[in-house]
Amino acid sequence: LKMRISVFFWVLVILLLYIDSSSSLVAQGSVALDLKITGTEKEHPAWEELAKTYSDSLALIGELQTIISNLRNDAYLAASIDTVIWRDTIAQVTLETGAQYEWTSLENGNVELVFLEQVGFRERLLDGKPFRYSQLVKIQEKLLNYAENNGYPFASVWLDDIVIEDGKIGAKIFMKKNKLIFFDKIKIHGNAKITTRYLENYLGIRNGELYSREKILKIKSRLRELPFVTEKQNATVSFAGDQATINLFVNKKNASRFDFLVGLQPRNQSTGPNTPEVRTFQLTGTFNADLNNQFGRGEKIYIEFQQLRPETQELNLELAYPYILDTPFGMDLKFDLYKRDTAYLDVISDLGIQYLFEAGTYLRVFWNRSTTNVLSINEALLLQSRRLPTILDINRSSFGLEYQIQKLNYRFNPSKGWMLNLRGGAGLKKINKNNKILKLASTEFDPESLYDTINLQSFQYQLSGQAAYYFPLSRRTVLKTGVRGGYIIADNPIYQNEQFRIGGNRILRGFDEESIFVTNYAVATLELRLLLGQNSYLFAFGDLGYTENVRVDQRNFDRPAGMGAGITFETKVGLFGFSLAVGKQQNTGFDFRSVKTHFGYVSMF
């Protein structure tokens, strides 16, 4: 008995070693495929591109499993691998396709017609067509999605009365909606200083409305776009009876800020007619305060002061209040005071009513009023040329529309997505007679007659817009493409104080701030960003523009360009920014001796 056990033991060991050795050879060596197909389908894309050899048996088996899966998805439900015979480095495979199953009918069992219409389903839609399980799953998912977004989060969909005969399938689709659910209220857990009324309007989740799973799934991305809150954990939903309570776990986040931007602009100055020019530097700066959500209603107060060039200042004030009386309407007011050297003073006011959609998208109706007061005139030039100056006292009143849509994953430093802003206005322009010009009247010359040569009242149209698209090239690399433009349409000549002012850190970098006056312009931007953090990145950019300066005294066309690089980085005390840029115009090259340097700091509080 002991001898028999010993012999059996060694036979078993030798057999196991042989099997292991054979399987190792098959798994590790190159394998050729000898495929034999049986069944009704002799040609099919599933195996038309099969390789002749594989690196090992595991790769071959994986490929065969994929083929079977593809066949079954294409209605060959009985497809299978009948036999696999290994002969050294050759795998002889017999594949049985079976018949392609077809629908005889997919009929409505008890689903309400309104549900079927919303998902585009109708009876006899699939009659005589191959039975593809993915199509059936898609119909079921559409029905469930519609139910979940219209008050039935616990709905279920299934097939019944299923008949399978001779490769033909017939069935009926049924739905059980279960309990109808309504939104109850939003509960805030955390120290965020924000009202539930604001969040209800912002998230589109209002008490008494039908439950929507789609709105729940958007909560995280919508909260991330609010600059003044941060989410501690994902939102939860509590169901009680027919009510759904939304629990938000949010804390206060510093979003208001005071910041400044300081620039050095090189200038060539001459102290006299016979003295050489001396290179000097002019200090420019921008100072602003941006206050967000100080009263818990999502309101915004913005103040900005700019010193862009000697004796040139600009003051901007903005007030915005969203969701007035808990409606999707908001109001904003903008005021701009601009003094250009000692030449003129612009006073611009802009009042708007917004209809707020989601994610920074809005439609705005605005009324804009602009007044220009000429501060000084060149009397000698006017008397000599007997022509009005290129800057006149002008009043403009216009109504218009503005539309903005944002699909960015993070508004302040996006890594993917796009945005679009379009604005158009039409109104009346009125030219006022300047008293300083009228006082130059003499027996030989009446300056008031110069106003008789122009139309003192006329209509004017102004269009502007910008778009940007962010392409993620890798996890930390983003390519930004963008375009900005503006167009003035007028029957009468356009004066300098009516034009767009471009150039500088905002539009067309590499030039002095607002140094280029144009009637029409378009600027394309290409910017490569290396993301260092949520608000930190290195960047290199190129700006290419086309400008038209068509005024009463000149017609100039140019193709300015700018390029440069910089960095924005976040610290515990705020954001710092530094950039260098150089520009060129159509008839000149890049002047690397005239590099524009910008330093920036943003303090969050």
Side-chain angles (χ1 to χ4, degrees), residues 284-470:
T284 64
T286 298
F287 304 86
N288 61 53
D290 190 359
L291 309 178
N292 287 276
N293 195 47
Q294 297 301 298
F295 306 105
R297 297 287 302 181
E299 73 287 342
K300 178 179 179 179
I301 303 172
Y302 181 76
I303 304 171
E304 179 183 45
F305 176 78
Q306 298 184 80
Q307 171 79 39
L308 302 177
R309 52 190 298 125
E311 300 182 8
T312 296
Q313 299 90 29
E314 184 172 10
L315 174 66
N316 291 311
L317 301 175
E318 293 184 20
L319 304 173
Y321 193 89
Y323 306 115
I324 300 173
L325 300 177
D326 296 324
T327 67
F329 292 95
M331 178 179 291
D332 63 83
L333 174 65
K334 300 178 183 179
F335 177 80
D336 186 8
L337 185 67
Y338 177 78
K339 179 178 177 292
R340 181 76 180 188
D341 302 326
T342 59
Y344 63 89
L345 176 69
D346 276 344
V347 180
I348 303 172
S349 57
D350 192 286
L351 177 64
I353 302 294
Q354 300 178 352
Y355 186 88
L356 302 166
F357 299 95
E358 61 179 32
T361 300
Y362 63 82
L363 178 65
R364 179 172 180 264
V365 180
F366 65 85
W367 176 75
N368 181 278
R369 181 171 176 80
S370 175
T371 301
T372 298
N373 296 312
V374 177
L375 302 178
S376 63
I377 60 172
N378 190 331
E379 298 180 1
L381 179 61
L382 190 148
L383 292 173
Q384 180 183 359
S385 64
R386 303 288 178 94
R387 297 177 61 183
L388 289 172
T390 59
I391 300 174
L392 295 181
D393 300 82
I394 297 174
N395 289 335
R396 293 191 307 273
S397 297
S398 63
F399 287 90
L401 290 174
E402 181 179 353
Y403 177 69
Q404 176 170 296
I405 180 170
Q406 288 192 115
K407 298 293 183 181
L408 303 173
N409 64 337
Y410 181 54
R411 277 189 287 175
F412 305 106
N413 184 21
S415 59
K416 65 178 179 179
W418 58 277
M419 65 81 60
L420 174 69
N421 179 278
L422 299 173
R423 176 185 170 105
L428 183 66
K429 178 179 78 172
K430 181 180 179 181
I431 298 177
N432 300 321
K433 297 179 181 180
N434 187 281
N435 290 328
K436 294 180 180 179
I437 294 178
L438 298 180
K439 289 179 180 179
L440 298 178
S442 64
T443 55
E444 299 180 356
F445 173 58
D446 181 13
E448 189 171 2
S449 62
L450 298 177
Y451 287 98
D452 297 334
T453 62
I454 61 175
N455 190 355
L456 298 182
Q457 289 190 8
S458 62
F459 280 98
Q460 190 174 92
Y461 307 89
Q462 185 167 303
L463 306 173
S464 61
Q466 60 174 314
Y469 202 106
Y470 296 83

Side-chain angles (χ1 to χ4, degrees), residues 109-369:
N110 70 339
V111 184
E112 295 181 9
L113 292 179
V114 63
F115 283 78
L116 297 177
E117 290 173 356
Q118 290 296 325
V119 302
F121 174 83
R122 63 184 185 276
E123 292 188 358
R124 301 192 179 280
L125 179 67
L126 300 177
D127 290 5
K129 295 183 178 179
F131 176 89
R132 292 186 171 89
Y133 182 69
S134 59
Q135 290 180 332
L136 179 61
V137 170
K138 188 176 294 185
I139 292 173
Q140 292 176 306
E141 288 179 346
K142 285 183 177 180
L143 285 171
L144 286 175
N145 288 337
Y146 183 76
E148 291 170 341
N149 294 325
N150 289 273
Y152 297 98
F154 304 111
S156 58
V157 178
W158 71 95
L159 294 184
D160 208 340
D161 297 342
I162 301 173
V163 178
I164 303 176
E165 185 177 356
D166 297 331
K168 308 290 185 179
I169 299 177
K172 291 183 179 180
I173 190 165
F174 290 83
M175 168 183 277
K176 186 177 181 180
K177 295 185 295 184
N178 291 310
K179 185 174 290 186
L180 180 63
I181 304 296
F182 298 88
F183 282 124
D184 180 17
K185 57 186 175 181
I186 292 178
K187 284 187 177 181
I188 300 176
H189 305 270
N191 62 5
K193 183 182 177 182
I194 190 170
T195 64
T196 55
R197 287 290 189 181
Y198 173 82
L199 286 175
E200 286 177 358
N201 285 288
Y202 178 75
L203 298 174
I205 299 175
R206 299 177 180 86
N207 192 334
E209 290 189 350
L210 291 175
Y211 179 90
S212 172
R213 180 173 179 266
E214 184 180 12
K215 291 182 179 180
I216 300 297
L217 295 177
K218 288 183 178 180
I219 287 178
K220 187 174 185 66
S221 61
R222 294 302 315 277
L223 289 178
R224 191 167 180 259
E225 292 173 353
L226 285 178
F228 41 81
V229 299
T230 181
E231 196 175 20
K232 295 189 298 181
Q233 67 181 69
N234 292 335
T236 62
V237 182
S238 302
F239 294 96
D242 63 349
Q243 302 292 313
T245 300
I246 313 303
N247 302 289
L248 301 182
F249 303 88
V250 289
N251 281 339
K252 178 183 177 182
K253 180 181 179 181
N254 294 331
S256 298
R257 70 182 189 181
F258 166 78
D259 64 82
F260 65 88
L261 178 69
V262 178
L264 293 175
Q265 296 184 356
R267 303 176 63 199
N268 293 326
Q269 288 186 326
S270 177
T271 57
N274 298 321
T275 59
E277 291 185 343
V278 178
R279 175 62 59 91
T280 62
F281 290 90
Q282 172 194 334
L283 183 66
T284 64
T286 298
F287 304 86
N288 61 53
D290 190 359
L291 309 178
N292 287 276
N293 195 47
Q294 297 301 298
F295 306 105
R297 297 287 302 181
E299 73 287 342
K300 178 179 179 179
I301 303 172
Y302 181 76
I303 304 171
E304 179 183 45
F305 176 78
Q306 298 184 80
Q307 171 79 39
L308 302 177
R309 52 190 298 125
E311 300 182 8
T312 296
Q313 299 90 29
E314 184 172 10
L315 174 66
N316 291 311
L317 301 175
E318 293 184 20
L319 304 173
Y321 193 89
Y323 306 115
I324 300 173
L325 300 177
D326 296 324
T327 67
F329 292 95
M331 178 179 291
D332 63 83
L333 174 65
K334 300 178 183 179
F335 177 80
D336 186 8
L337 185 67
Y338 177 78
K339 179 178 177 292
R340 181 76 180 188
D341 302 326
T342 59
Y344 63 89
L345 176 69
D346 276 344
V347 180
I348 303 172
S349 57
D350 192 286
L351 177 64
I353 302 294
Q354 300 178 352
Y355 186 88
L356 302 166
F357 299 95
E358 61 179 32
T361 300
Y362 63 82
L363 178 65
R364 179 172 180 264
V365 180
F366 65 85
W367 176 75
N368 181 278
R369 181 171 176 80

Side-chain angles (χ1 to χ4, degrees), residues 38-70:
T38 62
T40 59
E41 187 71 15
K42 298 300 184 181
E43 295 183 2
H44 193 279
W47 54 75
E48 286 181 356
E49 298 181 1
L50 280 174
K52 298 298 183 182
T53 60
Y54 293 86
S55 58
D56 53 40
S57 60
L58 296 178
L60 173 59
I61 292 172
E63 184 73 6
L64 293 175
Q65 291 174 342
T66 301
I67 290 174
I68 296 301
S69 177
N70 291 338

Side-chain angles (χ1 to χ4, degrees), residues 531-549:
L531 304 182
L532 306 176
Q534 186 178 33
N535 295 309
S536 305
Y537 57 92
L538 289 165
F539 62 94
F541 66 86
D543 294 336
L544 179 62
Y546 172 78
T547 63
E548 296 181 0
N549 185 0

